[in-house]
Amino acid sequence: MEVRDGKACGDPVTLTSMPEILTQSKSFLSSKVAHFTESVIREMTRQAMQYGAVNLAQGFPDFPAPREIKEAAQEAIAGDINQYAITWGAKNLRDAIARQMQEWQGITVDPERELTVCCGSTEAIVSTLLAVCNAGDEVIIFEPFYENYGPDSIISGARPRFVKLRPPEAPEGEWTFDSRELRSAFHNNAKAIVVNTPNNPTGKVFTRAELELIRDLCVEFNVLAITDEIYEHILYDGTKHVSIASLDGMRERTVTINGMSKTYAVTGWRVGWTVAPPEITNAIRKVHDFLTVGAPAPLQEAGATALSLPPSYYQQLAEGYRRRRDRLVPALIKAGFRCFRPRGAYYVMTDITGFGFPDDVAFTQYLVKEIGVAAVPGSSFYNDPRDGAQQVRFAFCKRDETLDEAARRLGGLRHGS
Ligand code: GLN
């Protein structure tokens, strides 16, 4: 269409000239968006603010980011790194990520051809799915799942297919999956499997044996692994993080996703990345380029500083979260929750059966309005809300004072109330 003086020219198409049937049946909305709601996690943060509740809902730290990183960001801005970085990421940051992948996971990465820096791991995941999925493809997702994965699959035109993680019987037990159920999800239409380890919301850390089983199925059925490793450094009780890309046969069929948010307490910076073989990286870069052009340039520079922090930083990080876990979990148990002890990440899934509420949404509404604590209803992590109707997730990435105040308020809950 020709444009002159800011106006479109050519045959005018007016509403009155359109067939009536078209004007009546045409919706302005994509049918995709009918299949999902806004994030409940982020909605609970808004409610926490509205009701003055302690926010143990959304997983962002309420303590400061490391001083060195903040200074590096200030210096980058003052030093005039204020224009676009290279679309797929500032060289300093890509080099630092490649170095860290080598050091931590023994995975050799070519920063020129295998890395894409995105606006948070959130964009990294959706750009990856957009880059690899076609209509009709299925994406296998362990359930309960971080709520973005469902809408992300739908936005990319794929269909999510869920495989259950089953809660432990005993509080110290582990979440497990049935290998036959997993196998039955792999078939010709399966394009990818999303693996999030350490896991949100369960705190499960997938074992090497479990990841090898997933690896065997990916190889047998020619399926891609998309692995969200954003909680890589947040591990408890001697658990070890294994990157699925480090397993034999997986390097060429894995997109590893990570980011700065959780490791460096900068969730608002929106700096994440993908590591993938060159051909897949090329596709991800194209999507990423047209979606966002690039992640914030000065914050990428600060990212290079962050990724150069010494090993002691990561030890203190894990130890700090272990202390927070061990502060909140006993308080929750005392208040009447059954807790599934997390082995990694910074969430605890709880069972609320003891309180006698009809469902998780009624319970979290009572909690945020009457008790003054915000948590996430378990149903937001399940495809069928009934599966999470007696579960609630708490985040413990908070200061001691915050956790203690939440504990004090939760003391006001009565069992069977
Ligand atoms: N990962 C965090 C959570 O699960 C928040 C993520 C987000 O809101 N983007 O609470």
Side-chain angles (χ1 to χ4, degrees):
M1 189 181 284
E2 193 190 342
V3 176
R4 216 178 291 141
D5 296 336
K7 291 195 183 98
C9 308
D11 290 340
V13 179
T14 63
L15 272 182
T16 47
S17 72
M18 285 167 81
E20 203 178 333
I21 184 94
L22 254 185
T23 57
Q24 276 173 4
S25 63
K26 185 166 144 189
S27 166
F28 288 135
L29 305 181
S30 154
S31 57
K32 286 176 185 166
V33 296
H35 293 285
F36 55 88
T37 59
E38 269 185 51
S39 156
V40 178
I41 297 175
R42 294 177 282 278
E43 164 63 16
M44 289 314 295
T45 284
R46 292 190 287 273
Q47 290 195 16
M49 290 163 87
Q50 182 181 351
Y51 297 110
V54 178
N55 188 357
L56 302 190
Q58 194 177 9
F60 63 86
D62 70 347
F63 45 84
R67 188 182 40 80
E68 305 91 297
I69 307 182
K70 292 188 288 191
E71 284 174 3
Q74 286 170 327
E75 278 163 26
I77 291 173
D80 244 338
I81 301 188
N82 294 307
Q83 311 309 324
Y84 304 120
I86 293 172
T87 287
W88 50 80
K91 178 150 176 56
N92 282 344
L93 178 58
R94 281 183 288 118
D95 287 349
I97 296 166
R99 209 172 51 239
Q100 216 191 40
M101 283 290 276
Q102 184 75 59
E103 267 170 34
W104 288 95
Q105 293 299 332
I107 299 172
T108 305
V109 176
D110 177 352
E112 300 309 324
R113 296 163 68 231
E114 297 187 304
L115 253 164
T116 311
V117 178
C118 295
C119 294
S121 62
T122 298
E123 189 228 308
I125 293 169
V126 80
S127 285
T128 299
L129 286 167
L130 283 165
V132 303
C133 288
N134 293 306
D137 286 346
E138 285 189 8
V139 174
I140 304 166
I141 298 172
F142 287 103
E143 179 185 54
F145 54 92
Y146 171 49
E147 59 175 16
N148 282 37
Y149 303 151
D152 286 352
S153 311
I154 295 166
I155 289 169
S156 71
R159 253 196 329 263
R161 161 126 189 192
F162 300 100
V163 173
K164 288 255 176 316
L165 289 175
R166 292 174 206 288
E169 301 284 334
E172 292 296 320
E174 312 298 333
W175 292 71
T176 50
F177 59 86
D178 181 326
S179 56
R180 280 159 309 181
E181 187 188 339
L182 179 64
R183 185 176 181 87
S184 68
F186 281 77
H187 53 83
N188 275 350
N189 290 340
K191 172 58 77 71
I193 180 168
V194 177
V195 182
N196 172 214
T197 184
N199 185 259
N200 176 10
T202 64
K204 176 181 175 63
V205 177
F206 283 69
T207 63
R208 180 175 287 275
E210 287 172 327
L211 294 169
E212 284 175 351
L213 177 68
I214 297 168
R215 182 265 316 271
D216 292 347
L217 289 166
C218 284
V219 170
E220 183 180 340
F221 290 89
N222 195 24
V223 164
L224 182 74
I226 300 173
T227 166
D228 177 350
E229 304 188 357
I230 192 87
Y231 302 100
E232 170 182 10
H233 297 287
I234 304 176
L235 297 164
Y236 317 115
D237 308 331
T239 50
K240 295 263 178 303
H241 172 69
V242 177
S243 263
I244 202 164
S246 70
L247 302 183
D248 279 350
M250 286 310 285
R251 181 68 174 86
E252 61 271 29
R253 57 174 63 257
T254 302
V255 180
T256 306
I257 290 172
N258 213 322
M260 293 185 65
S261 294
K262 316 292 186 186
T263 307
Y264 306 106
V266 287
T267 61
W269 282 19
R270 316 312 300 131
V271 179
W273 52 84
T274 65
V275 178
E279 196 188 358
I280 301 175
T281 293
N282 207 23
I284 294 170
R285 285 180 176 184
K286 285 199 272 184
V287 175
H288 159 73
D289 187 12
F290 288 107
L291 267 185
T292 67
V293 178
L299 305 184
Q300 292 191 52
E301 285 306 319
T305 303
L307 270 71
S308 306
L309 288 173
S312 59
Y313 174 78
Y314 301 93
Q315 282 149 17
Q316 282 160 19
L317 178 82
E319 176 54 19
Y321 280 120
R322 193 215 33 90
R323 273 194 307 99
R324 294 181 187 99
R325 177 194 69 172
D326 294 346
R327 201 171 189 104
L328 182 66
V329 169
L332 290 172
I333 293 171
K334 193 161 164 228
F337 294 85
R338 196 156 79 82
C339 293
F340 304 115
R341 197 176 187 75
R343 303 295 182 196
Y346 51 47
Y347 308 98
V348 52
M349 268 299 240
T350 66
D351 181 295
I352 58 164
T353 315
F355 297 104
F357 273 74
D359 62 43
D360 58 322
V361 175
F363 181 77
T364 47
Q365 284 302 300
Y366 174 76
L367 213 60
V368 73
K369 291 178 188 162
E370 308 297 333
I371 300 292
V373 175
V376 181
S379 55
S380 4
F381 305 104
Y382 289 90
N383 185 42
D384 181 343
R386 286 171 300 188
D387 291 338
Q390 290 299 321
Q391 291 179 3
V392 163
R393 189 198 79 173
F394 292 87
F396 53 84
C397 44
K398 310 290 173 181
R399 287 171 295 149
D400 288 352
E401 305 87 277
T402 310
L403 297 175
D404 290 348
E405 179 57 19
R408 193 187 66 74
R409 293 182 185 199
L410 289 168
L413 264 173
R414 275 172 296 123
H415 301 219
S417 58

Short mmCIF file of all heavy atoms in Angstrom, two decimals, residues 41-42 57-59 122 146 200 231 262 347 393, ligand 1:
data_model
loop_
_atom_site.label_atom_id
_atom_site.label_comp_id
_atom_site.label_asym_id
_atom_site.label_seq_id
_atom_site.Cartn_x
_atom_site.Cartn_y
_atom_site.Cartn_z
N ILE A 41 1.36 -15.63 39.14
CA ILE A 41 2.50 -15.26 39.99
C ILE A 41 2.60 -13.74 40.08
O ILE A 41 2.69 -13.14 41.15
CB ILE A 41 3.82 -15.84 39.43
CG1 ILE A 41 3.79 -17.38 39.43
CG2 ILE A 41 5.02 -15.32 40.21
CD1 ILE A 41 5.01 -18.04 38.79
N ARG A 42 2.54 -13.09 38.91
CA ARG A 42 2.71 -11.63 38.89
C ARG A 42 1.47 -10.92 39.43
O ARG A 42 1.56 -9.89 40.07
CB ARG A 42 3.12 -11.20 37.48
CG ARG A 42 4.52 -11.80 37.21
CD ARG A 42 5.14 -11.60 35.91
NE ARG A 42 4.75 -12.37 34.77
CZ ARG A 42 5.16 -13.61 34.48
NH1 ARG A 42 5.96 -14.25 35.29
NH2 ARG A 42 4.78 -14.21 33.36
N ALA A 57 5.21 -14.57 47.14
CA ALA A 57 4.61 -15.12 45.91
C ALA A 57 5.64 -15.13 44.78
O ALA A 57 6.18 -16.19 44.46
CB ALA A 57 3.38 -14.30 45.54
N GLN A 58 5.93 -13.97 44.22
CA GLN A 58 6.82 -13.93 43.06
C GLN A 58 8.27 -14.11 43.50
O GLN A 58 8.71 -13.51 44.49
CB GLN A 58 6.65 -12.60 42.32
CG GLN A 58 7.25 -12.59 40.93
CD GLN A 58 7.00 -11.28 40.20
OE1 GLN A 58 6.51 -10.32 40.80
NE2 GLN A 58 7.34 -11.23 38.94
N GLY A 59 9.00 -14.89 42.73
CA GLY A 59 10.37 -15.24 43.13
C GLY A 59 11.40 -14.20 42.76
O GLY A 59 12.20 -14.40 41.84
N THR A 122 13.16 -15.54 30.23
CA THR A 122 11.77 -15.57 29.75
C THR A 122 11.73 -15.41 28.23
O THR A 122 11.11 -16.21 27.52
CB THR A 122 10.96 -14.45 30.43
OG1 THR A 122 10.96 -14.71 31.83
CG2 THR A 122 9.54 -14.37 29.92
N TYR A 146 6.70 -24.28 35.83
CA TYR A 146 6.73 -22.81 35.89
C TYR A 146 5.74 -22.29 34.85
O TYR A 146 5.78 -22.68 33.69
CB TYR A 146 8.15 -22.31 35.62
CG TYR A 146 8.22 -20.80 35.45
CD1 TYR A 146 7.62 -19.96 36.38
CD2 TYR A 146 8.87 -20.24 34.37
CE1 TYR A 146 7.64 -18.59 36.23
CE2 TYR A 146 8.91 -18.86 34.21
CZ TYR A 146 8.29 -18.05 35.14
OH TYR A 146 8.31 -16.70 34.99
N ASN A 200 11.46 -25.19 39.45
CA ASN A 200 10.42 -24.30 39.96
C ASN A 200 9.09 -24.92 39.51
O ASN A 200 8.94 -25.15 38.31
CB ASN A 200 10.60 -22.92 39.31
CG ASN A 200 9.52 -21.93 39.68
OD1 ASN A 200 8.71 -22.17 40.54
ND2 ASN A 200 9.51 -20.79 38.99
N TYR A 231 18.30 -21.72 38.03
CA TYR A 231 18.62 -21.90 39.45
C TYR A 231 19.88 -22.76 39.64
O TYR A 231 20.08 -23.33 40.72
CB TYR A 231 17.42 -22.52 40.19
CG TYR A 231 16.17 -21.70 40.07
CD1 TYR A 231 15.18 -22.05 39.14
CD2 TYR A 231 15.98 -20.55 40.83
CE1 TYR A 231 14.03 -21.27 38.99
CE2 TYR A 231 14.83 -19.77 40.69
CZ TYR A 231 13.88 -20.14 39.77
OH TYR A 231 12.74 -19.36 39.62
N LYS A 262 18.52 -14.76 38.87
CA LYS A 262 18.47 -15.44 40.16
C LYS A 262 19.86 -15.52 40.79
O LYS A 262 20.01 -15.38 42.00
CB LYS A 262 17.89 -16.85 39.99
CG LYS A 262 16.67 -16.93 39.09
CD LYS A 262 15.43 -16.25 39.66
CE LYS A 262 14.24 -16.52 38.76
NZ LYS A 262 13.03 -15.82 39.13
N TYR A 347 11.99 -22.04 46.21
CA TYR A 347 10.55 -22.15 46.46
C TYR A 347 10.29 -23.39 47.29
O TYR A 347 11.04 -24.36 47.21
CB TYR A 347 9.78 -22.30 45.15
CG TYR A 347 10.12 -21.25 44.14
CD1 TYR A 347 11.04 -21.51 43.12
CD2 TYR A 347 9.57 -19.97 44.22
CE1 TYR A 347 11.39 -20.53 42.20
CE2 TYR A 347 9.91 -18.99 43.30
CZ TYR A 347 10.83 -19.28 42.31
OH TYR A 347 11.18 -18.31 41.41
N ARG A 393 2.50 -22.46 46.73
CA ARG A 393 3.95 -22.26 46.66
C ARG A 393 4.36 -20.99 47.38
O ARG A 393 3.76 -19.93 47.20
CB ARG A 393 4.39 -22.16 45.20
CG ARG A 393 5.91 -22.17 45.04
CD ARG A 393 6.37 -21.65 43.68
NE ARG A 393 6.33 -20.19 43.62
CZ ARG A 393 6.81 -19.46 42.61
NH1 ARG A 393 7.34 -20.06 41.55
NH2 ARG A 393 6.74 -18.14 42.63
N1 GLN B 1 10.47 -17.15 38.34
C1 GLN B 1 9.77 -16.33 39.27
C2 GLN B 1 8.65 -17.09 39.93
O1 GLN B 1 8.36 -18.19 39.57
C3 GLN B 1 9.21 -15.09 38.68
C4 GLN B 1 9.34 -15.01 37.25
C5 GLN B 1 8.62 -13.89 36.67
O2 GLN B 1 7.66 -13.40 37.23
N2 GLN B 1 9.09 -13.53 35.52
O3 GLN B 1 8.05 -16.55 40.81
#
